[in-house]
Amino acid sequence: MKLTPPTPEDVPILEKWLSDEPLLRLIRVEPPRPDMPVLTTIVRLDDGAPVGWIDLFNIDPENRKAEAGIAIPDPRGRGLAPLAGKKFLTLAFEVWGLNRVTARILASNSYAIKCAELFGFVREGVERQAVWRDGKFEDVVLFGMLKEDFEKKVMRRGTGSTVHPGRFGRRAARADAPGASGSPAAPA
């Protein structure tokens, strides 16, 4: 499994995934803010086949924080979410220089909640009745991960990093970092 920037060849599959209304209703809490950068990576099998995507959106370079979401709709990618999430968080904290990543998940999406907990996110609260979905209001569970939490809980090491941190520019993430793309996509 590897993470890469989207390529022009990925456009048809991304369009297919982003037009899957049941998938989007499950994973989308709110669209990303149009005035803030979005970074998309494609989750690929070792043979290069795309099976999903991970977004970093509402990127706030000044405060070194962003929201994240993951979707792996291709059945060949089953079970890859924990590894893809760990690789992506490593990029977010150690290469792109973030200090905080937030995940906002619909309370009914128990699989995504389990994944966030497996990734080491801390449940920080609930936004009660925050989203109108299927004719009713639904709660959104707020999760947060700090760089120090990631290093201690997920990477199982002290606060020192072996990767030199990059920085986000004012407009977008470093385009030369592994897995980086400034291409907008729907939040996962």
Side-chain angles (χ1 to χ4, degrees):
M1 192 282 314
K2 55 190 170 184
L3 302 178
T4 69
T7 66
E9 293 78 29
D10 295 322
V11 170
I13 191 69
L14 281 169
E15 287 176 343
K16 177 183 173 192
W17 291 336
L18 295 173
S19 66
D20 183 339
E21 192 58 35
L23 173 64
L24 292 181
R25 292 188 68 69
L26 180 64
I27 62 173
R28 181 179 284 161
V29 174
E30 293 175 4
R33 288 182 41 185
D35 61 326
M36 298 184 92
V38 173
L39 186 142
T40 298
T41 60
I42 301 297
V43 179
R44 297 184 188 282
L45 299 176
D46 289 333
D47 67 4
V51 293
W53 79 97
I54 305 176
D55 282 334
L56 202 58
F57 56 99
N58 296 342
I59 300 169
D60 179 349
E62 183 176 336
N63 294 302
R64 295 173 49 198
K65 66 181 183 175
E67 292 185 53
I70 182 172
I72 303 181
D74 189 309
R76 296 173 296 167
R78 281 210 164 71
L80 290 180
L83 178 59
K86 183 176 180 180
K87 283 186 175 190
F88 189 79
L89 289 169
T90 300
L91 290 170
F93 292 123
E94 296 189 354
V95 176
W96 301 324
L98 291 180
N99 182 61
R100 176 183 171 80
V101 175
T102 301
R104 297 174 67 233
I105 303 170
L106 293 174
S108 62
N109 191 342
S110 58
Y111 179 75
I113 289 171
K114 270 186 200 174
C115 282
E117 291 167 344
L118 283 173
F119 294 162
F121 278 83
V122 174
R123 185 184 296 239
E124 296 181 335
V126 174
E127 297 177 54
R128 298 180 311 139
Q129 297 184 5
V131 176
W132 180 256
R133 198 58 47 96
D134 299 323
K136 63 181 179 169
F137 286 103
E138 184 167 349
D139 294 348
V140 173
V141 182
L142 177 67
F143 287 91
M145 167 88 66
L146 302 178
K147 180 179 181 176
E148 65 188 48
D149 295 337
F150 181 73
E151 290 171 339
K152 290 177 186 172
K153 293 179 183 179
V154 180
M155 299 305 290
R156 303 265 193 264
R157 62 175 184 222
T159 57
S161 173
T162 59
V163 179
H164 298 288
R167 294 283 182 252
F168 285 102
R170 294 300 299 156
R171 299 174 64 117
R174 282 184 40 201
D176 61 338
S181 166
S183 305

